[in-house]
Amino acid sequence: MDKSVTVISHPLVQHNLTRLRDERTEPQEFRRVLSEVAALMIYEATRTFAVEPTTVTTPLARTRGSRLRREVILVPVLRAGLGMLDSILQLIPHARVGFIGLKREEKSLQALFYHQSLPKDLSKFEVILIDPMLATGGSSVAALNLLSELGAKHVRMVNLVAAPEGIRRVRASYPDLPIFTASIDKKLNAKGYIVPGLGDAGDRLFGV
Ligand SMILES: O=P(O)(O)OC[C@H]1O[C@H](OP(=O)(O)OP(=O)(O)O)[C@H](O)[C@@H]1O
Ligand SMILES: O=c1cc[nH]c(=O)[nH]1
Ligand SMILES: [Mg+2]
């Protein structure tokens, strides 16, 4: 299997994923659980962040330490990526936040771009692209292309659920991009939904 895809098998992640899959989970609970699972996933997704040595003076002595080498920017894909943002920010409070707005057109399944707010130059950042769903991969590739046009060099992606088709599509353009997911599901259905999946993540989050 693809070495750049990490399936996070931690029991708490899998427990929460199952709650999110459950069709009876209402938006209020869905928001809470998605937020919790995002925090657990980010712990794993940041494990390979580049660090550099530093020194620090404790009340008792000078000692060696370590600090992140690059600034961090979180980039949720609107809307559903917003559901993972707050809890990740709690863990990386110094991170900046950029936004990419994409909406998948129902019939063509093309990702339509409608918003971006990002720094002009992303080259110095550790970028984390956040979206609960990687389905056909159209939205992810569109977001990754934009990040790449802005010079991003250190990008990783966090998707709660990924379809094999989406991973293949991302791989065709970004062969080494690290992808962190809680599950590689079975397939896409005829309407481009992930099966078994959890339905439309944006709708389940916001009730619309
Ligand atoms: O891999 P793809 O086939 O492109 O599908 C995945 C995209 O679909 C969902 O967003 P959607 O377009 O439903 O927008 P929303 O978050 O506003 O509901 C999801 O959050 C991804 O961004
Ligand atoms: O299953 C899917 C596919 C695309 N977007 C979603 O929110 N869910
Ligand atoms: Mg949606």
Side-chain angles (χ1 to χ4, degrees), residues 80-140:
L82 285 179
M84 301 175 78
L85 176 64
D86 282 356
S87 62
I88 295 177
L89 260 182
Q90 298 263 333
L91 295 181
I92 319 176
H94 51 86
R96 296 206 217 178
V97 182
F99 297 92
I100 299 178
L102 290 165
K103 179 75 196 161
R104 199 172 73 150
E105 204 273 313
E106 254 173 51
K107 289 227 164 62
S108 69
L109 301 182
Q110 296 297 311
L112 305 177
F113 172 86
Y114 62 86
H115 176 76
Q116 69 130 315
S117 61
L118 290 163
K120 286 196 178 64
D121 181 4
L122 286 170
S123 58
K124 66 175 181 177
F125 289 98
E126 257 343 318
V127 183
I128 309 182
L129 184 64
I130 301 165
D131 193 330
M133 309 307 278
L134 171 58
T136 65
S139 303
S140 293

Side-chain angles (χ1 to χ4, degrees), residues 104 133 135 192-194 199-202:
R104 199 172 73 150
M133 309 307 278
Y193 278 87
I194 302 175
D200 187 302

Side-chain angles (χ1 to χ4, degrees), residues 51-85:
V51 291
E52 58 192 15
T54 184
T55 52
V56 63
T57 307
T58 78
L60 299 175
R62 197 150 179 79
T63 187
R64 280 179 295 198
S66 166
R67 66 181 171 212
L68 296 184
R69 188 182 300 162
R70 302 186 189 94
E71 273 194 73
V72 179
I73 185 163
L74 309 176
V75 183
V77 176
L78 306 176
R79 289 174 304 170
L82 285 179
M84 301 175 78
L85 176 64

Side-chain angles (χ1 to χ4, degrees), residues 125-168:
F125 289 98
E126 257 343 318
V127 183
I128 309 182
L129 184 64
I130 301 165
D131 193 330
M133 309 307 278
L134 171 58
T136 65
S139 303
S140 293
V141 168
L144 290 165
N145 288 347
L146 176 57
L147 297 175
S148 174
E149 280 161 26
L150 295 172
K153 292 193 173 63
H154 313 282
V155 185
R156 61 196 66 205
M157 188 158 73
V158 179
N159 306 112
L160 179 69
V161 182
E165 294 88 335
I167 293 174
R168 280 199 293 275

Side-chain angles (χ1 to χ4, degrees), residues 28-44:
Q28 189 178 354
E29 175 74 349
F30 193 93
R31 279 196 288 274
R32 189 183 68 73
V33 178
L34 182 59
S35 185
E36 272 178 30
V37 81
L40 295 164
M41 290 182 75
I42 211 67
Y43 190 76
E44 191 60 41

